[in-house]
Structure formats: structure tokens, C-alpha cells
């Protein structure tokens, strides 16, 4: 059995800040075909579906659909605040390579 993705405390804290005035809409992390390396991440706010995996901490939720789940096995969903900008990032052990934009990868 593959390990589910993990969400860092920092990512949940940032989600709580964003959701302070948004009614606690979950953050959806999905994998789509396309992008410059074959797959790309789709990170957006979205309502959960019945078959989603829900990762929850302190009232904040991150949801992953069952199709994306195998691509995110063992991945770490984090939040980074760097010179290039503040954003949610995914450290994915399944990705064999990724591109400079950080949203596209191959397996």
C-alpha cells in the first residue's frame, strides 16, 4: 500500500490564514496530464467530492481525488515563502524530473 500524501503544519497554517474569510473551503491538490514535463499539479480551492481523500488538521482540509492519489503517494504538500513568491509546493518522491516552474513533472 502506498503512503498517502502528507501536508505540513506550515501548509495547514497558511491555509487557515487564507480561509479566515473564506468559509474554510478545502485546498484541492490534483495531478493533470500536460505541462512541460508530462504531468502538472492543479492546486486550487474546491469543495470535496464523495470519493476524495481528505487530509485534515485544526479544521483545515486538503483534498485529493482518487485518480491523482497514486501520483502523490508519499508526497509532501508544503507552503513556501521565497523571493520568487509565496505558494503551495509539492515535494514528490515519484517525480523523476520536474521543470523550473515547479508545477510540472514526469514519472
Amino acid at each position: 500500500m502506498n503512503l498517502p500524501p502528507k501536508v505540513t503544519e506550515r501548509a495547514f497554517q497558511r491555509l487557515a490564514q487564507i480561509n479566515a474569510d473564506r468559509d474554510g473551503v478545502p485546498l484541492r491538490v490534483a495531478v493533470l496530464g500536460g505541462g512541460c514535463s508530462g504531468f502538472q499539479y492543479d492546486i486550487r480551492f474546491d469543495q470535496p467530492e464523495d470519493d476524495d481523500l481528505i487530509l485534515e488538521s485544526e479544521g483545515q482540509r486538503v483534498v485529493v481525488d482518487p485518480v491523482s492519489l497514486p501520483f502523490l503517494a508519499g508526497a509532501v504538500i508544503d507552503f513556501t515563502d521565497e523571493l520568487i513568491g509565496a505558494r503551495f509546493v509539492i515535494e514528490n518522491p515519484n517525480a523523476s524530473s520536474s521543470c523550473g516552474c515547479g508545477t510540472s513533472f514526469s514519472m
Side-chain angles (χ1 to χ4, degrees):
M1 163 117 183
N2 289 330
L3 290 172
K6 179 179 162 228
V7 182
T8 66
E9 189 176 324
R10 181 170 50 195
F12 276 126
Q13 288 170 349
R14 180 62 182 131
L15 196 50
Q17 292 170 342
I18 293 169
N19 269 328
D21 55 359
R22 290 182 56 119
D23 293 335
V25 178
L27 184 72
R28 176 171 298 283
V29 177
V31 174
L32 305 174
C36 34
S37 298
F39 295 99
Q40 63 185 4
Y41 298 115
D42 179 26
I43 302 173
R44 61 190 156 86
F45 289 93
D46 192 21
Q47 292 300 330
E49 300 292 332
D50 290 340
D51 56 354
D52 283 342
L53 170 72
I54 299 177
L55 306 163
E56 191 166 1
S57 178
E58 297 178 29
Q60 300 304 312
R61 295 175 295 166
V62 174
V63 298
V64 181
D65 66 89
V67 174
S68 298
L69 204 50
F71 296 103
L72 295 168
V76 176
I77 300 162
D78 196 5
F79 184 81
T80 181
D81 194 350
E82 300 172 340
L83 287 174
I84 58 171
R87 62 196 172 111
F88 288 98
V89 294
I90 298 171
E91 296 165 24
N92 191 339
N94 307 300
S96 57
S97 66
S98 59
C99 68
C101 67
T103 62
S104 183
F105 68 101
S106 63
M107 292 181 77

